Amino acid sequence: MLGQDMWELYIDLLIRKEAPVKMRCQVLRNMLMYLMEEEARMIKADREVKKLQNKEDLKEMGDIQSGMASTIIQVYIKQILESFFHHHSQVRMIALGVITLILRQGLCILYRLYHI
């Protein structure tokens, strides 16, 4: 999601008013799925931390994964939030799902929000 081509495509589909609703929804669904997969990885890593004595190494690994998700979300947060104002309710609902996962995972978005 951070590659230049992917970034340009996603940003274009999220900001261009004449972008097809179906494509805009798919971009948001892709972000939703990514966040859901990251959440599952974090839960699994947390279980591993509880099983093993060497907690620091696994905790750092989880922090790195969380940092990557946070970085990706910071790139797209403005467009995700703008999707709340889209005229199509399906776009708004998927955007709500993405924001819900962002908040549930505690991803750091405040710095980016102040610079929109």
Side-chain angles (χ1 to χ4, degrees):
M1 282 194 201
L2 289 176
Q4 185 67 26
D5 292 339
M6 182 70 73
W7 178 81
E8 289 175 2
L9 176 65
Y10 275 21
I11 294 295
D12 180 61
L13 289 170
L14 289 173
I15 64 173
R16 193 166 40 98
K17 292 190 187 292
E18 58 275 351
V21 170
K22 190 173 184 176
M23 294 298 291
R24 187 182 302 245
C25 288
Q26 187 60 53
V27 168
L28 291 168
R29 274 193 214 99
N30 290 351
M31 290 180 189
L32 190 65
M33 293 302 296
Y34 173 77
L35 291 172
M36 290 170 69
E37 289 171 6
E38 286 302 308
E39 185 174 47
R41 282 190 201 118
M42 286 189 291
I43 290 169
K44 184 178 178 182
D46 197 41
R47 286 184 189 142
E48 292 295 320
V49 167
K50 292 176 182 174
K51 288 181 184 178
L52 300 172
Q53 293 291 1
N54 194 359
K55 295 178 183 178
E56 289 78 21
D57 292 337
L58 288 174
K59 180 65 176 155
E60 288 176 14
M61 183 180 71
D63 289 346
I64 290 169
Q65 288 176 343
S66 177
M68 179 57 89
S70 181
T71 300
I72 289 172
I73 293 307
Q74 287 180 20
V75 169
Y76 297 106
I77 190 66
K78 181 179 181 193
Q79 291 75 28
I80 294 169
L81 291 173
E82 288 174 350
S83 295
F84 279 121
F85 302 108
H86 195 273
H87 66 276
H88 199 282
S89 64
Q90 187 177 9
V91 174
R92 293 191 306 267
M93 290 303 295
I94 298 169
L96 176 63
V98 174
I99 294 299
T100 300
L101 274 175
I102 290 169
L103 295 174
R104 186 168 66 203
Q105 293 178 15
L107 298 176
C108 180
I109 62 170
L110 293 178
Y111 174 79
R112 182 74 175 164
L113 285 176
Y114 286 115
H115 292 87
I116 292 178

